[in-house]
Amino acid sequence: MLDDEPGRKRRRFWVHPIVAQRQQKGQFHKLFNDLRQDSNKFKSYCRMSIETFDHLLICLHPDLNFVDTSMRRSISAEQRLLVTLRFLATGNSFASLHFEFLLGISTISGIVCHTCKVIWQRLREAVMPTPTAADWLRIAAGFNQSAQFPNCIGALDGKHIRVKKPPHSGSRYFNYKQYFSVVLMALADSDYKFVIVDIGAYGSTSDSRILSASRMGERLRQNQLALPEPSRLPGSAGPPAPFVIVADEGFALSPHLMRPFPRRDLDDRKRIFNYRLTRARRYVECAFGILSSKWRVFQSSIQMKPDNVTLVIQACVMLHNFTRIHDASTDADLGLNMTSSVSLDLSRPGRPGTAGLAVREIFADYFSSPEGALSWQMDAIRGSR
C-alpha cells in the first residue's frame, strides 16, 4: 500500500471535513447566484459584466467541463472560471482561496493553471489575431484621431511583472528596479488593447534586447509584419513616411520604430517631436495601468513557477482585450487620468541607424509645419523646460 511506504506522510482524510462542506458553505454555492442579481456587485467581484462572463464561459466550456466519476463529483466549468477570475482579480494566495471556496490548495493551483492556459488558447485568435494590413491601417487611423500622430501602428513598451525568485536562477530575474521580475513586452493600440505581446523574458534583460530577440522584433526587421506601404502624412507634400511604432528611449531607432531625440541640444523642433511622440506612447502605459488595476495579481509578487507565471500573464492579456471589446470599460471607471501631463525626461541617448534618423526627420519636420502642428504644442514644450 502507498500509505505504508517509508517516509510517506499518512493521509488523514480522503476529503477534509471542511472541504466536504463546499456545497453548503463554499463561496461559489453561497454567493454566486446572489451576485448575479446585482450587476454592479458582480462586475466588482469578477471584473466583468454578467453578460461578458456568460460569453466567456461559453467560449471556454468545452475545455473546462469534466465528467463525474464514481469516486467524486467534478468541479463545474462555471466554478473553475470563477476561482481563476478571483485569483487574477485579487492576487490572493491559493491558501486564502482554499478557505473561500472550500477547495483543496493543490486543486485550486491546478484549476488556475489549467484555466489560464485554456483562456490563452481559446481567446487568442478572437481577441488578439495576427494583424493584417487592414488592421494596421485601422490602428493608424485611431492614433491619428486620438493622439494626432499619423502613420502610427502602435505604442511599444515593457512592463516588469514582480515574481518570486526562482531557485538556482542567479541574477537573471533581478531587474534595475531592484526586484525579481519577468517582462511583458506589448504593442498597444489607441483603444488600450494589446496587439502583439512577448511574455517571459528575464527581468535583467533590457527592452531593446527583448524586442530584438522576440518574434515581433525579428518580423519587424525582416519586413514580415504585413505593414502598409509608406504614405504621405495628412496634408503634406513631402516624401512618403513609413508606418511606425512609437517607443521610449530604451529602444533602438529604426525605420519602423521611432524613439525621442536625445535630451542634449534640443531645439523647439525636436522638443515638439518628443512631445508628440510621448503623447502617442502613453497609450501603452495606460494599457498597462488598466491591466494591473483590473487584474490585481500584478500588484504583488506572483508566488508561482516561471512557466505558470507566463500562463497567468497570458490569461490576463487575453481577458484585458476580451473585456475591452465586450464591456467597453470607461477610463473613469478605472480611476485613470488619461489627460495628465506628459513627461519629457529623455536622458538615455542611444546610437540610431541612418535610415531611422531620416524617418524621424520627416516626422519632426511635419509636426513643426502648418499642416501638422497642434495649436497648443508650443505651450506644452515651454512648460516642460
Side-chain angles (χ1 to χ4, degrees), residues 86-87 90-100 105 108 303:
R86 283 305 289 169
F87 170 72
T90 64
N92 288 348
S93 67
F94 294 152
S96 177
L97 294 173
H98 157 69
F99 290 108
E100 294 176 21
I105 294 176
I108 290 176
Q303 305 294 306

Side-chain angles (χ1 to χ4, degrees), residues 2 189 303:
L2 290 176
D189 64 16
Q303 305 294 306

Side-chain angles (χ1 to χ4, degrees), residues 102-267:
L102 301 186
L103 293 164
I105 294 176
S106 61
T107 301
I108 290 176
S109 175
I111 286 173
V112 168
C113 293
H114 176 255
T115 306
C116 285
K117 184 177 181 180
V118 171
I119 289 172
W120 170 259
Q121 293 174 342
R122 283 280 178 174
L123 298 187
R124 186 175 181 183
E125 289 302 318
V127 303
M128 200 177 67
T130 302
T132 63
D135 293 326
W136 293 127
L137 288 172
R138 175 184 52 80
I139 293 170
F143 272 102
N144 190 33
Q145 180 179 1
S146 59
Q148 293 77 52
F149 199 112
N151 287 27
C152 175
I153 57 169
L156 180 69
D157 204 359
K159 177 177 175 60
H160 286 271
I161 308 298
R162 191 185 294 264
V163 299
K164 176 184 177 181
K165 180 183 182 297
H168 315 297
S169 61
S171 61
R172 286 177 294 180
Y173 291 88
F174 196 69
N175 64 35
Y176 71 97
K177 298 181 180 180
Q178 306 298 302
Y179 61 82
F180 297 96
S181 68
V182 297
V183 179
L184 164 61
M185 179 75 66
L187 183 72
D189 64 16
S190 61
D191 191 36
Y192 313 107
K193 296 197 297 289
F194 298 117
V195 181
I196 301 175
V197 295
D198 181 83
I199 300 169
Y202 297 136
S204 61
T205 311
S206 68
D207 286 346
S208 185
R209 288 180 59 192
I210 293 172
L211 176 63
S212 179
S214 69
R215 187 166 179 262
M216 175 175 62
E218 181 181 356
R219 294 179 65 194
L220 186 64
R221 287 192 304 272
Q222 298 178 1
N223 294 320
Q224 295 179 349
L225 284 180
L227 299 183
E229 291 296 320
S231 65
R232 284 192 173 91
L233 301 177
S236 171
F243 286 80
V244 298
I245 293 168
V246 294
D248 64 17
E249 60 277 8
F251 294 87
L253 186 69
S254 75
H256 291 292
L257 195 150
M258 294 290 100
R259 53 167 281 168
F261 284 102
R263 191 174 184 178
R264 62 181 184 274
D265 302 326
L266 286 178
D267 55 22

